[in-house]
């Protein structure tokens, strides 16, 4: 942040207040004062400035038993939104996510193996929808099932057949809005840490299962672990050690070959389905072939999760997408499968849970990516956050 020292302090305080309201939801001015340690007058001035920017709004004070005048409640302005995008093997999912991590809408555009140019076209068309009229678009975030460089270039998304695709730059060029891209599972891990099962957990591993395979994200000491190129967490490309030869479905297969969404869809007789539909079908079925396949996939996945626990020693393992359904078929049995693969000290404090954000997870993660600049320096946002016509 450039400017005088007082200007830098003001901008840092604006960011602190906005990020707090974004992560915690509606909060009284008194609550903001307690959480930030700032004076009441400073908080009042910061809230007024953020209100003028269209980033927060105030509502009437909540009644309390405390003596004195109740404090007005500050909440994220619902008209400030990010566009979330998740291109997958069988569809492009688009979401409108407001400050505060609320998914206002989600739409699935079914298309087989969408190209980068096609994804840009679909997003640009979406920005002309009536639903976005009057909304302030802070940016566009893309959750990509592949390896993404820090500048938004997709180095390799094998299931989409994307190589060296500057998706972020192309979206900015086509829409006029700042766009960003990152690996989908990394964004899923971030979303769960901020709003889901991982709130307050500094060390977690997240594995996501989708139409394009399995990816992972790691939060270490409270921060995403990216590695030297930002590509850490590619669990799906590893070849798992499978103890029972009868459990191997693909000779020499990777984890995402063995633990596979398409195989479950096929057994259910579904050609294509979003995650909500797949989860519902798996929960409802009594077909022994489906239950047997879930158990087989659990045995393979349990070994991979056990290896991750041994190497990373997390407090929490979060499974999202169809992996949450694999876990949900027998949570206690799955935990035992993982325990068998781990050293006793590594396993004794770990918890294994399904993603709390469900089908909204990647939308929230992609939106967080798009909102990052706004949240870290709201005063710097100018014309790039203009209201959509």
């Amino acid at each position: 942040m450039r400017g005088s020292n007082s200007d830098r302090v003001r901008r840092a305080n604006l960011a602190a207040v906005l990020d707090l309201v974004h992560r915690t939801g509606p909060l009284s001015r008194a609550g903001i004062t307690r959480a930030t340690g700032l004076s009441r007058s400073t908080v009042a001035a910061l809230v007024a400035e953020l209100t003028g920017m269209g980033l927060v709004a105030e509502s009437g004070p909540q009644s309390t038993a405390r003596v004195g005048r109740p404090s007005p409640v500050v909440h994220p302005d619902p008209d400030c939104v990010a566009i979330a995008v998740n291109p997958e093997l069988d569809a492009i999912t688009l979401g409108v996510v407001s400050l505060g991590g609320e998914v206002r809408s989600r739409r699935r555009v079914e298309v087989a193996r969408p190209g980068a140019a096609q994804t840009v076209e679909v997003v640009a068309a979406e920005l002309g929808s009536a639903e976005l009229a009057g909304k302030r678009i802070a940016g566009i975030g893309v959750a990509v099932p592949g390896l993404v460089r820090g500048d938004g270039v997709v180095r390799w998304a094998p299931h989409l057949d994307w190589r060296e695709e500057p998706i972020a730059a192309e979206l900015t060029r086509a829409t006029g809005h700042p766009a960003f891209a990152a690996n989908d599972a990394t964004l899923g891990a971030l979303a769960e840490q901020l709003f889901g099962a991982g709130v307050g957990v500094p060390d977690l591993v997240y594995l996501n299962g989708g139409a394009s395979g399995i990816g992972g994200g790691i939060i270490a000491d409270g921060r995403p672990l990216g590695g030297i190129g930002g590509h850490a967490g590619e669990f799906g490309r590893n070849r798992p050690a499978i103890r029972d030869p009868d459990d191997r479905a693909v000779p020499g297969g990777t984890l995402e070959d063995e633990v596979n969404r398409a195989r479950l869809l096929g057994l259910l007789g579904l050609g294509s389905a979003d995650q909500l539909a797949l989860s519902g079908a798996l929960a409802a079925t009594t077909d022994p072939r489906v239950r047997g396949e879930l158990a087989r996939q659990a045995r393979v996945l349990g070994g991979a999760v056990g290896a991750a626990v041994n190497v990373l020693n997390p407090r929490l393992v979060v499974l999202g997408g169809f992996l949450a359904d694999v876990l949900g078929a027998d949570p206690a049995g799955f935990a035992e499968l993982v325990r068998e693969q781990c050293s006793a000290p590594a396993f004794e404090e770990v918890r294994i849970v399904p993603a709390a954000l469900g089908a909204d997870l990647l939308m929230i993660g992609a939106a967080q990516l798009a909102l990052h600049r706004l949240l870290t320096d709201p005063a710097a946002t100018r014309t790039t956050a203009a209201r959509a016509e």
Side-chain angles (χ1 to χ4, degrees):
M1 300 179 187
R2 297 180 180 179
S4 66
N5 185 59
S6 60
D7 180 59
R8 288 194 296 272
V9 170
R10 178 185 64 84
R11 291 170 70 168
N13 287 339
L14 283 169
V17 171
L18 182 60
D19 185 65
L20 178 65
V21 174
H22 170 65
R23 287 185 291 104
T24 63
L27 197 61
S28 69
R29 282 197 203 172
I32 295 172
T33 299
R34 289 192 295 271
T36 62
L38 300 169
S39 69
R40 291 196 310 176
S41 60
T42 297
V43 167
L46 293 170
V47 169
E49 189 169 352
L50 289 169
T51 301
M53 294 177 184
L55 301 179
V56 303
E58 287 190 287
S59 57
Q62 296 176 336
S63 58
T64 68
R66 294 186 178 185
V67 177
R69 186 170 61 186
S71 175
V73 175
V74 182
H75 55 84
D77 192 318
D79 286 338
C80 182
V81 302
I83 306 301
V85 186
N86 175 219
E88 270 282 13
L89 187 63
D90 56 353
I92 301 169
T93 302
L94 303 164
V96 178
V97 185
S98 62
L99 275 171
E102 181 179 353
V103 178
R104 316 288 292 188
S105 67
R106 183 174 62 245
R107 186 165 76 90
R108 176 180 166 91
V109 180
E110 294 204 0
V111 53
R113 203 184 295 272
Q118 187 176 19
T119 301
V120 171
E121 290 175 6
V122 168
V123 175
E126 183 73 9
L127 293 184
S129 67
E131 182 184 6
L132 287 172
K135 297 292 190 292
R136 175 176 179 169
I137 299 174
I140 301 168
V142 189
V144 180
L147 305 180
V148 187
R149 206 165 61 196
D151 59 358
V153 172
V154 180
R155 301 298 310 278
W156 185 40
H159 299 280
L160 298 178
D161 197 26
W162 292 12
R163 285 186 181 273
E164 305 300 333
E165 292 285 0
I167 187 69
E170 292 299 323
L171 277 168
T172 298
R173 187 175 298 113
T175 67
H177 295 288
F180 311 88
N183 173 262
D184 57 354
T186 299
L187 295 177
L190 180 62
E192 283 291 324
Q193 184 203 28
L194 291 173
F195 297 105
V199 172
V201 179
D203 295 278
L204 68 85
V205 172
Y206 170 75
L207 271 73
N208 181 69
S212 296
I214 294 175
I218 303 162
I219 304 294
D221 197 23
R223 303 179 66 179
L225 178 65
I228 191 169
H231 309 318
E234 283 299 310
F235 294 98
R237 305 301 296 177
N238 292 332
R239 286 179 170 77
I242 300 177
R243 292 188 289 182
D244 186 344
D246 290 339
D247 280 341
R248 185 170 293 282
V250 180
T254 63
L255 178 63
E256 60 191 24
D257 293 327
E258 296 288 346
V259 181
N260 188 273
R261 184 179 189 268
R263 192 170 288 112
L264 294 170
L265 286 171
L267 289 172
L268 289 164
L270 299 174
S272 178
D274 63 15
Q275 186 53 48
L276 286 173
L278 175 58
S279 294
L282 288 171
T285 187
T286 58
D287 187 331
R289 298 175 306 154
V290 179
R291 309 315 296 179
E293 177 62 15
L294 281 169
R296 184 197 70 81
Q297 293 198 19
R299 290 191 292 272
V300 178
L301 180 62
V305 171
V309 170
N310 282 331
V311 172
L312 298 167
N313 191 210
R315 170 78 66 178
L316 189 68
V317 175
V318 182
L319 301 181
F322 82 92
L323 301 185
D325 299 310
V326 175
L327 168 66
D330 182 7
F334 187 83
E336 180 61 21
L337 289 169
V338 175
R339 186 196 65 77
E340 291 172 357
Q341 309 292 323
C342 295
S343 66
F347 184 78
E348 63 187 6
E349 292 189 63
V350 72
R351 291 187 298 121
I352 305 169
V353 300
L357 301 177
D360 288 339
L361 186 143
L362 293 184
M363 296 293 95
I364 293 171
Q368 183 68 23
L369 180 67
L371 292 167
H372 178 74
R373 288 203 311 182
L374 176 67
L375 291 167
T376 53
D377 189 10
T381 305
R382 295 291 185 264
T383 57
T384 55
R387 290 186 180 273
E389 295 296 332

